[in-house]
């Protein structure tokens, strides 16, 4: 839920009231609160302070004060909307405790394997900080988490590598920018379960007996007052996308308040609410109202921000094919692209229906939003086809359509296994099935290419009487017959289209260049629909698997390099 409203209407009061006395269906649900005045002070943490029981950020965000950290003194430890919230200042201390535990477990693992006269396979040691690396890769791709360094035990360091035009340099968490710190403060608490699970894996690494079970995540409600603080509009859009990802993959609900036009515009209609002042109506209206139409959205943006979203992002605007849909589970082109290729969240995707509309929209926006004046770069991304596109600012996907990127045999096989489909025994069998389906579409693909060559002709009859209409009809038919190619030319075009299709099949490129949506739909009908699983959920789940295997970046990186180039 993204809650907007003018100053003084009670947004902060609402969140704090939920934190103090929120009622949830599951009594095991943890309510976490981040107030509007978050801070992350530079801290000097000594290693000798890291003993004792582990401390967790989740506990801090669920509690009412920040205290009990050896060596750290807070002037006012209360966590209320009117006070500065110091929970973020404990991050280095908490990460230090995790690293202390990691090093202890690693030493005991080495000793155990050595005593058993076994060999240590370093490459298989669990990466404790993998989730932290994934977070920064998704939201802050210029940063890479490096290590918790105990090189100086009087001042431990939490290091990231920052990459810019001058090279790569290590940066301590205290020296990150305010926006970078804000991202860590917002999301690191939600990764602690994963970090602790990987510590458990390390504890059992190389040992006989059962392995660590996947962690059973508790239900969480995250209350964040003004998450946009210190964040550039581009980062604001990315954190909203990341929140959706976490809420879909884990039992987590976000309730946030915001004045940011970027967040308000990026929120789906099902997510956006407006809090208004109380009225004297009897019975009183509900002050918290869901935005239900685009007209209401635009009016809310106008009243609350008085600005235009495009001009606030500072990011490249990329018009793409497909519809904008309020349902986050509908696999629109934009939705699939963001799932498959997280780098796409670094641009503003604007769905504009078909290819023709993409081209027209880009041309008009480039005309009215001159880059040298507004500093807004407008580009277009369209599906690939045989006609090609030679228009400035328009790029093509390396495949026929976005669904072609889902036709990954390894990912499809993993998905089939996850839903209990055993008819296709391995990824090679899945590949063979996909190619068989594509071969069945050979005639349709030939016909499609012929239709592009034999471009349609519009017939508009004119006349005010039946005789005039019939005469005009006869004339247009005669003109069309005269301009229609003869059999020799037609046969040549048939041969050319047939040869092009057969060449794709022979080269194994049909899964890229045939219509991927049709191939995927036939595969779905044969193997997945009998399990009573919907086509849309399948596409979303499959996109996540493809993304986890990093199948798409190498293909889309060159396209996005051109889209984002100055």
């Amino acid at each position: 839920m993204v809650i907007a409203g003018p100053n003084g209407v009670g947004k902060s009061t609402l969140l704090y009231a939920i934190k103090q006395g929120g009622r949830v269906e599951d009594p095991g649900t943890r309510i976490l609160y981040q107030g509007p005045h978050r801070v992350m002070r530079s801290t000097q943490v000594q290693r000798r302070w890291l003993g004792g029981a582990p401390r967790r950020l989740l506990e801090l965000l669920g509690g009412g004060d920040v205290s009990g950290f050896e060596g750290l003194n807070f002037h006012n430890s209360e966590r209320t909307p009117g006070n500065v919230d110091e929970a973020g200042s404990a991050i280095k201390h908490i990460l230090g405790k995790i690293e202390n535990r990691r090093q202890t477990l690693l030493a005991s693992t080495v000793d155990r394997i050595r005593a058993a006269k076994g060999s240590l396979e370093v490459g298989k040691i669990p990466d404790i900080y993998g989730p932290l690396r994934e977070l920064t890769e998704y939201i802050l791709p210029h940063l890479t988490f490096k290590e918790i360094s105990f090189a100086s035990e009087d001042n431990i360091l939490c290091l990231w590598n920052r990459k810019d035009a001058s090279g790569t340099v290590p940066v301590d968490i205290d020296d990150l920018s305010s926006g970078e710190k804000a991202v860590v403060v917002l999301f690191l608490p939600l990764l602690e379960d994963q970090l602790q699970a990987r510590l458990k894996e390390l504890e059992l690494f190389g040992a006989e007996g059962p392995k660590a079970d996947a962690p059973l995540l508790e239900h969480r409600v995250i209350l964040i007052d003004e998450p946009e603080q210190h964040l550039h509009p581009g980062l604001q859009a990315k954190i909203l996308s990341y929140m959706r990802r976490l809420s879909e993959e884990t039992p987590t609900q976000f309730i946030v308040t915001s004045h940011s036009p970027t967040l308000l515009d990026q929120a789906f209609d099902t997510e956006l609410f407006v809090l208004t002042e109380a009225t004297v109506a009897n019975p009183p209206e509900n002050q918290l109202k869901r935005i239900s139409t685009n007209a209401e959205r635009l009016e809310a943006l106008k009243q609350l921000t008085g600005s235009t979203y495009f001009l606030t992002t500072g990011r490249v605007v990329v018009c793409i094919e497909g519809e904008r849909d309020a349902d986050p589970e509908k696999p629109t082109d934009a939705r699939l692209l963001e799932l498959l290729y997280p780098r796409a969240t670094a641009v503003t995707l604007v769905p504009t229906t078909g290819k023709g509309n993409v081209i027209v929209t880009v041309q008009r926006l480039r005309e009215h939003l001159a880059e040298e004046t507004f500093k807004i770069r407008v580009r277009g991304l369209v599906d690939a086809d045989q006609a090609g596109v030679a228009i400035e600012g328009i790029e093509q996907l390396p495949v026929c359509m976005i669904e072609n990127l889902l036709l990954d045999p390894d990912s499809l096989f993993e998905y089939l296994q996850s839903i209990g489909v055993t008819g296709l025994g391995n990824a090679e069998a899945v590949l063979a099935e996909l190619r068989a389906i594509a071969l069945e579409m050979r005639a349709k693909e030939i016909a499609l290419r012929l239709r592009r060559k034999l471009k349609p002709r519009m017939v508009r009859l004119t006349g005010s009487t039946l005789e005039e209409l019939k005469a005009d009809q006869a004339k247009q038919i005669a003109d069309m017959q005269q301009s229609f190619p003869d059999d020799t030319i037609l046969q040549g075009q048939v041969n050319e289209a047939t040869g092009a299709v057969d060449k794709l099949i022979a080269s194994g490129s049909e899964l890229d260049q045939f219509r991927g949506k049709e191939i995927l739909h036939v595969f779905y009908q044969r193997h997945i629909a009998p399990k009573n699983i919907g086509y849309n959920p399948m596409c979303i789940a499959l996109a996540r698997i493809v993304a986890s295997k990093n199948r798409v970046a190498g293909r889309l990186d060159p396209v996005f390099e051109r889209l984002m180039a100055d």
Side-chain angles (χ1 to χ4, degrees), residues 186-482:
L186 283 175
F187 295 116
L188 179 60
L190 307 183
L191 302 179
E192 282 187 308
D193 289 330
Q194 298 176 53
L195 299 182
Q196 294 297 331
R198 296 196 179 201
L199 282 172
K200 186 66 175 178
E201 288 181 25
L202 179 58
E203 183 178 1
L204 300 176
F205 179 71
E208 298 289 338
K211 302 299 182 183
D213 294 329
L216 184 62
L217 296 179
E218 63 185 358
H219 289 239
R220 299 174 293 196
V221 177
I222 318 298
L223 312 170
I224 307 177
D225 207 340
E226 300 182 21
E228 69 270 17
Q229 283 190 18
H230 308 298
L231 301 182
H232 183 275
L235 264 181
Q236 293 175 29
K238 292 177 77 172
I239 67 165
L240 188 58
S241 175
Y242 189 69
M243 287 179 188
R244 287 196 194 102
R245 175 176 169 179
L246 286 177
S247 67
E248 291 160 5
E249 296 177 354
T250 65
T252 304
Q253 178 186 5
F254 288 91
I255 303 177
V256 304
T257 66
S258 177
H259 291 107
S260 164
T262 304
L263 286 182
L264 302 188
D265 190 84
Q266 289 285 297
F268 294 133
D269 289 343
T270 54
E271 299 168 341
L272 184 58
F273 293 74
V274 170
L275 185 64
T276 58
E277 293 183 0
T279 68
V280 295
N282 188 20
E285 294 183 357
N286 187 345
Q287 292 174 245
L288 188 64
K289 180 183 178 183
R290 185 196 298 271
I291 295 294
S292 58
T293 68
N294 284 335
E296 289 181 353
R297 170 189 293 275
L298 292 174
E299 184 61 26
L301 282 170
K302 180 180 177 182
Q303 291 181 2
L304 296 171
T305 69
S307 62
T308 303
Y309 167 65
F310 282 130
L311 303 181
T312 69
T313 66
R315 301 188 298 165
V316 179
V317 175
V318 178
C319 299
I320 63 171
E321 298 184 52
E323 303 280 351
R324 172 171 177 161
D325 197 283
D327 183 0
E329 291 304 315
K330 188 171 182 179
T332 61
D333 284 19
R335 177 69 172 147
L336 289 177
L337 187 58
E338 289 184 345
L339 284 173
L340 289 166
Y341 187 64
R343 188 180 179 187
T345 61
V347 304
T348 300
L349 295 176
V350 181
T352 50
T353 63
K355 179 177 181 178
N357 282 344
V358 171
I359 294 172
V360 170
T361 302
V362 169
Q363 290 174 328
R364 288 180 178 174
L365 285 175
R366 288 168 71 92
E367 177 183 352
H368 296 293
L369 293 175
E371 288 189 23
E372 61 271 18
T373 302
F374 293 96
K375 309 303 180 186
I376 300 293
R377 290 169 287 164
V378 179
R379 306 287 187 265
L381 180 63
V382 297
D383 295 342
D385 61 31
Q386 283 62 50
V389 175
I391 300 174
E392 185 179 1
I394 303 291
E395 294 291 336
Q396 285 185 294
L397 288 169
V399 290
C400 182
M401 55 183 59
I402 193 75
E403 285 82 2
N404 290 81
L405 297 174
L406 299 178
L407 302 178
D408 177 63
D410 289 329
S411 300
L412 269 167
F413 177 67
E414 181 174 325
Y415 177 71
L416 291 175
Q417 294 232 299
S418 72
I419 62 173
V421 174
T422 58
L424 297 171
N426 51 42
E428 289 74 19
V430 173
L431 177 59
E433 174 71 351
L434 291 172
R435 286 183 169 166
I437 294 171
L439 191 60
E440 295 169 11
M441 296 174 54
R442 176 178 176 272
K444 287 185 178 180
E445 290 290 331
I446 293 172
L448 176 65
R449 285 156 177 76
L450 283 170
R451 189 167 72 238
R452 289 174 180 148
K453 290 180 178 296
L454 304 171
K455 294 181 179 171
R457 175 171 171 171
M458 180 75 70
V459 174
R460 289 192 177 94
L461 296 180
T462 60
S464 58
T465 66
L466 176 61
E467 289 73 19
E468 289 178 351
L469 289 171
K470 292 183 71 173
D472 188 57
Q473 180 185 38
K475 180 179 182 303
Q476 293 206 47
I477 290 174
D479 291 344
M480 189 179 299
Q481 287 175 334
Q482 270 192 331

Side-chain angles (χ1 to χ4, degrees), residues 131-146:
L132 193 50
R133 297 182 216 281
E134 292 171 7
L135 167 67
T136 49
E137 180 183 4
Y138 189 91
I139 301 184
L140 304 168
H142 61 288
L143 294 178
T144 303
F145 179 76
K146 185 174 186 287

Side-chain angles (χ1 to χ4, degrees), residues 12 33-40 78-88 225-226 229-230:
S12 296
Y33 170 77
Q34 300 214 39
H37 308 298
R38 298 179 296 277
V39 69
M40 183 177 180
E78 291 185 2
R79 302 186 63 247
T80 62
N83 190 34
V84 174
D85 188 351
E86 293 269 17
D225 207 340
E226 300 182 21
Q229 283 190 18
H230 308 298

